[in-house]
Amino acid sequence: MPSWVLRALGMAVLHAAATVALAKIAVFQPTETTFVTSVALAVLVGAAALWSALDAWLGLADAGRTWFIAALVAGPLAGVLSVIGRGVFVDQTGISELGSALFGGAAFTALLVLVPAGLGLLVGARLRRAGGEQDPDAETRADEPEARPQPQKRRPRVGPTG
């Protein structure tokens, strides 16, 4: 199974659950939506960033492509799951909401997965290099002798010194 499948399913379920929970809260406690929406966005961004940073830190091959495909698949899948979840748990949302969930909601979800995942990949790659591991090209350069820096000769100072 390709690695993007698990990431796409996980992100889609997480985003759909957050959408359904926010809709449920908006129905029963409409004054609390601002704070809860902020917390939900922070959790969604943090989950994508942390998971992708772990992928980069562990050295997943083609992590960028994996997260790109996962984001593209998670968007429409989260839209379908959120319409189903809202229809079952919140307010009998019908199939008429599927169009907006598949276009507008899917694009937002894809970006909400892709942007934090890209940042997480950058951070994870830096953590991997800072942790003492070499870059992948270091193995090919291991056969070459390491060049030592040569001391530079000092130029004589001419003129007044300041």
Side-chain angles (χ1 to χ4, degrees), residues 9-10 12-13 16 26 46 57 59 63 68 76 78 98 100 102 104-105 108 111 122 126 130-132 139 142 144:
L9 287 175
V13 168
W57 184 57
F68 181 73
L98 195 58
S100 64
L102 283 178
F108 180 69
L111 283 175
L122 289 173
R126 284 187 177 240
E139 294 174 3
E144 300 173 7

Side-chain angles (χ1 to χ4, degrees), residues 38 55 123 143:
S38 301
D55 283 347
V123 170
D143 299 335

Side-chain angles (χ1 to χ4, degrees), residues 51-128:
W51 198 350
S52 63
L54 284 173
D55 283 347
W57 184 57
L58 294 173
L60 177 72
D62 289 334
R65 184 182 340 169
T66 297
W67 277 99
F68 181 73
I69 295 170
L72 291 180
V73 172
L77 184 59
V80 170
L81 291 177
S82 67
V83 168
I84 292 170
R86 284 177 34 207
V88 171
F89 295 114
V90 181
D91 58 1
Q92 276 71 35
T93 300
I95 196 133
S96 62
E97 292 292 320
L98 195 58
S100 64
L102 283 178
F103 292 106
F108 180 69
T109 301
L111 283 175
L112 203 55
V113 171
L114 187 62
V115 172
L119 293 174
L121 289 173
L122 289 173
V123 170
R126 284 187 177 240
L127 288 176
R128 184 171 190 198

Side-chain angles (χ1 to χ4, degrees), residues 131-144:
E133 292 192 27
Q134 299 291 329
D135 58 350
D137 297 334
E139 294 174 3
T140 59
R141 293 189 304 249
D143 299 335
E144 300 173 7

